[in-house]
Amino acid sequence: MEKQDLNKISLKETGFFLQDSSYVETLKRYNIKTVKDLLDNAESIKCRKPTRVQLTVLVNMLRYKYFDEPLQTSSLDKELDLEWLKENMYGNEFHIPIIDLELRKAHELEREKYAMMGIDFIERPDDTISVIGLFGCHKSKSKLIMKKFLYDIKTIPNILPERPRLIDFLKWILTVDYYGIKPLHPYANAYIESYEKQQFIDDEEEIVNLRNQLEDLLKVRDQLNKQIEDLTLLINLEASKETGGIKP
């Protein structure tokens, strides 16, 4: 990767700076304008937790773009719970529901325990992914995203695969040309690109592992062939003695 002078690259040039995020005023207060300013001082910036979440996502994106540090993509294979979303969207505009059967079992046990105590159980999805935690956006943008997503999955046939995953949600983001959502395209692209890089690395590692296994098996085969050859010679020798094939 070509080395760049990060002190000459303003945050607004990166494609990841969101004008409506909570960190905008915080960065002004600290006079942070360039990529280098932010990466050098990110840990020392004092701010509220929601701002910290958004700022952390921005930093992660910058480190991916300029240092090729992989993004966290393990959650992108998780399956979306669209049925739960369609039934329980309102009041849950900040999270994407995810299917997790193990957690579902735990919730069912919790529901039974609450029922025995006469306490109402608050229904919730198995698990969730934070929209704000994905994109580092303001909560108003999260509401806009989820409102549009719910509308699309209800009105557009086959907009997603039969069992959509979080990465399919990111690919859907790239199809939305809304003014408020389009600034998130670089984020979606970065996650997808980092995911595909990791898949390639995983595939390469799997090939190496399989080759190592094959090499080990070939060694075992050669050892067995040698043992078979030795035993065959010994058996023939003993048989020859019994038939008088070998004279003293």
Side-chain angles (χ1 to χ4, degrees), residues 125-212:
D126 301 338
D127 199 4
T128 61
I129 299 292
S130 166
V131 176
I132 296 171
L134 264 180
F135 299 112
C137 59
H138 190 269
K139 62 182 182 180
S140 60
K141 196 177 291 293
S142 175
K143 288 184 177 182
L144 175 63
I145 292 167
M146 295 307 292
K147 182 178 179 180
K148 171 63 174 167
F149 186 55
L150 181 63
Y151 177 82
D152 281 5
I153 62 176
K154 282 186 171 183
T155 60
I156 304 176
N158 304 316
I159 191 171
L160 294 172
E162 185 176 348
R163 298 182 62 181
R165 299 170 296 156
L166 186 58
I167 193 168
D168 297 309
F169 171 79
L170 294 174
K171 291 176 180 178
W172 167 81
I173 287 281
L174 295 176
T175 69
V176 181
D177 202 30
Y178 273 29
Y179 172 78
I181 297 178
K182 198 168 183 179
L184 302 181
H185 286 192
Y187 285 80
N189 275 319
Y191 280 120
I192 293 169
E193 182 182 74
S194 188
Y195 173 85
E196 289 175 348
K197 285 180 181 178
Q198 187 58 51
Q199 293 297 109
F200 177 78
I201 291 171
D202 290 344
D203 289 344
E204 288 289 298
E205 289 178 348
E206 179 64 17
I207 290 172
V208 170
N209 288 334
L210 289 173
R211 283 176 176 164
N212 289 338

Side-chain angles (χ1 to χ4, degrees), residues 10-13 15-28 54 58 135-138 140-141 179-180 183-184 187:
S10 73
L11 291 173
K12 294 179 181 180
E13 292 177 63
F16 295 112
F17 187 80
L18 300 177
Q19 292 285 0
D20 55 357
S21 282
S22 302
Y23 54 64
V24 173
E25 291 303 317
T26 301
L27 295 179
K28 284 182 181 178
Q54 296 170 40
L58 175 60
F135 299 112
C137 59
H138 190 269
S140 60
K141 196 177 291 293
Y179 172 78
L184 302 181
Y187 285 80

Side-chain angles (χ1 to χ4, degrees), residues 74-121:
S74 59
S75 62
L76 300 191
D77 275 325
K78 293 186 176 181
E79 186 178 346
L80 307 182
D81 194 341
L82 297 187
E83 293 307 312
W84 195 95
L85 179 63
K86 290 174 183 177
E87 295 174 7
N88 302 277
M89 167 63 182
Y90 298 103
N92 296 282
E93 299 97 339
F94 307 127
H95 296 88
I96 307 163
I98 299 297
I99 293 175
D100 187 314
L101 298 181
E102 289 300 316
L103 286 176
R104 184 174 299 182
K105 290 178 183 177
H107 293 166
E108 289 172 355
L109 291 173
E110 191 175 359
R111 184 186 295 106
E112 291 173 4
K113 182 180 73 173
Y114 275 47
M116 292 176 64
M117 298 168 61
I119 302 173
D120 290 335
F121 180 80

